[in-house]
Amino acid sequence: RLFLTGNLHIADNMKVIFGAGNDASFRYDEDGTDTLLYAGASVRIPEEVKLQFGDAGESHIEYNENEDNYLTLSGTTGVVISGSTTVIDSPSTIELRTDTIWFGGGSGNGTLSWDSSEDYFKFQDDVLVQDDEKLYFGTNKESYIKYDEASHDYLVISGSVKGVVISGSMVEFPGKAQITGTVRVGAGYLSTNA
């Protein structure tokens, strides 16, 4: 055994080597990056042990074996994951334990919120559906709305095999209405303005 009662000083660019086959090492890279570098075998941190960041350990990464078997990234005010492309790879499910997702870097920008009391999502900004892409309705995509840029420059509202219902105390068509099929008028009336 080696017992130290003082500092152990490793000179610049010298390695602390582990393993009979020089399997892993640490060294302070003075000549290149002024960084402590590790090379070699994998590093394993036991479960329930935190890899802490910050002078007071304000943030950490931890594998939480005792509770949910999740890898936890915890920051005091938040966590930023950045890159030209960020990929979240999951077998089947991404679980968000928050009611609101902020877009654009702050509370003054667009949000997507889940209202658990009313059981629906809310968008706090405009939503753009690109040309010729469909917004589907129905479990089996029986109906959709799309802007038909490729063919007619029309907004297309396509119903199921049963049809489309447009309801309201008054339904107004301020422009021209072109009807290519049958129109059925129920208990109300159909009027035109010359």
Side-chain angles (χ1 to χ4, degrees), residues 71-86:
L71 179 67
T72 301
L73 283 71
S74 176
T76 49
T77 58
V79 176
V80 176
I81 302 175
S82 66
S84 57
T85 301
T86 301

Side-chain angles (χ1 to χ4, degrees), residues 86-161:
T86 301
V87 177
I88 300 176
D89 189 1
S90 173
S92 58
T93 303
I94 297 175
E95 179 182 347
L96 299 177
R97 298 180 179 179
T98 179
D99 291 335
T100 304
I101 302 175
W102 301 94
F103 298 90
S107 59
N109 297 285
T111 64
L112 172 61
S113 302
W114 168 249
D115 190 330
S116 57
S117 62
E118 298 292 338
D119 195 30
Y120 58 64
F121 286 101
K122 296 187 294 184
F123 291 92
Q124 187 185 333
D125 219 320
D126 297 334
V127 177
L128 172 65
V129 179
Q130 298 282 3
D131 293 344
D132 303 302
E133 299 298 329
K134 297 174 182 177
L135 180 62
Y136 284 105
F137 300 87
T139 302
N140 296 316
K141 302 190 291 188
E142 294 91 345
S143 303
Y144 65 84
I145 300 173
K146 76 165 184 174
Y147 175 62
D148 183 7
E149 167 69 21
S151 301
H152 303 99
D153 287 344
Y154 284 171
L155 179 67
V156 177
I157 303 175
S158 177
S160 68
V161 294

